[in-house]
Amino acid sequence: ASSDIAAITKALDDYNKLSEAAKNKLTNGEKALLDSLKTKAEELKAAEEADAAATAEANKFKTDNAAILGKNVDNITAADKDTIDKALQDYNTLSQAAKDKLTAEKSNLDGKKEKVDAIITAISSVNASVNNDKCYNLNGQRTSNSAKGIVIKNGKKIFVR
C-alpha cells in the first residue's frame, strides 16, 4: 500500500548502508524486491492522489451546481435554461476522472436540458400560431375587429371608440 512507502524507503536506506560483503550475502534479490515494492507503492500513492483530486473536483461541481442538480425535472421551466447550460459547460471543463464520478449528475442535466428544450419549442410554436388580427372582449369571447369599447388585441387591452 502507499502507506508503506516510508517503511520501504527505510529498508532501502538500511540496505545501502550495508557493507559490500553483507550485500553479497543477500542472494535472493532482496534489493530488487525492495526497489519493485517501492515503485509499486509510489504508483499506488499517485493513483490515490489522482482519485482524491478527481473526487474534490467532482464535489466542487456538485456544490457549484447544487441548485439545478437538486431541482426536480418535473419543476423545470424555460427560466432554468441558462442555469442548465452553465452546469453543462462546467461539466465539459472537468477532467475525465471527475466526469467518471458524475455520470448520474450528467444524466440528470441531460434530462433537464431535454425538458427545457421541449418547453421552449412548445412556447415558440404557440407564439408562432397566434393570429394577431383577432380581437376578444374582456370575457375572452372573440369579437369583430370593428368592435367598440375595451378589447384585447395582440395580447393587450385597448379602448376602441
Side-chain angles (χ1 to χ4, degrees), residues 56-70:
E57 188 180 10
N59 287 340
K60 182 177 180 335
F61 172 83
K62 289 178 186 179
T63 300
D64 291 350
N65 296 287
I68 195 64
L69 289 171

Side-chain angles (χ1 to χ4, degrees), residues 18-90:
L18 293 174
S19 66
E20 284 303 315
K23 288 180 184 177
N24 289 335
K25 289 185 179 181
L26 299 172
T27 58
N28 293 330
E30 288 83 356
K31 170 77 166 77
L33 178 60
L34 286 172
D35 287 337
S36 174
L37 285 172
K38 184 175 181 185
T39 300
K40 188 63 175 172
E42 287 171 344
E43 289 172 359
L44 285 170
K45 182 178 180 184
E48 289 170 357
E49 289 171 352
D51 185 62
T55 299
E57 188 180 10
N59 287 340
K60 182 177 180 335
F61 172 83
K62 289 178 186 179
T63 300
D64 291 350
N65 296 287
I68 195 64
L69 289 171
K71 193 165 189 179
N72 186 316
V73 73
D74 295 329
N75 297 328
I76 294 296
T77 66
D80 294 316
K81 181 183 184 331
D82 291 341
T83 308
I84 294 168
D85 288 343
K86 183 188 177 313
L88 288 168
Q89 287 173 349
D90 290 351

Side-chain angles (χ1 to χ4, degrees), residues 4-26:
D4 297 330
I5 290 177
I8 296 168
T9 301
K10 182 178 180 333
L12 281 168
D13 289 343
D14 290 346
Y15 176 87
N16 290 330
K17 291 177 186 175
L18 293 174
S19 66
E20 284 303 315
K23 288 180 184 177
N24 289 335
K25 289 185 179 181
L26 299 172

Side-chain angles (χ1 to χ4, degrees), residues 27 30-31 38 48 56 61 89 92 98-99 102 109 111 117-118 132 139 141 156 161:
T27 58
E30 288 83 356
K31 170 77 166 77
K38 184 175 181 185
E48 289 170 357
F61 172 83
Q89 287 173 349
N92 288 332
K99 287 179 183 179
L102 295 167
L109 287 171
D117 287 346
N132 293 334
N139 291 325
Q141 299 165 328
K156 296 181 180 179
R161 293 179 187 230

Side-chain angles (χ1 to χ4, degrees), residues 71-81 84 111-127:
K71 193 165 189 179
N72 186 316
V73 73
D74 295 329
N75 297 328
I76 294 296
T77 66
D80 294 316
K81 181 183 184 331
I84 294 168
K112 290 173 181 173
K113 173 78 171 149
E114 189 176 305
K115 172 89 183 239
V116 80
D117 287 346
I119 291 169
I120 290 171
T121 299
I123 290 170
S124 297
S125 66
V126 167
N127 288 342

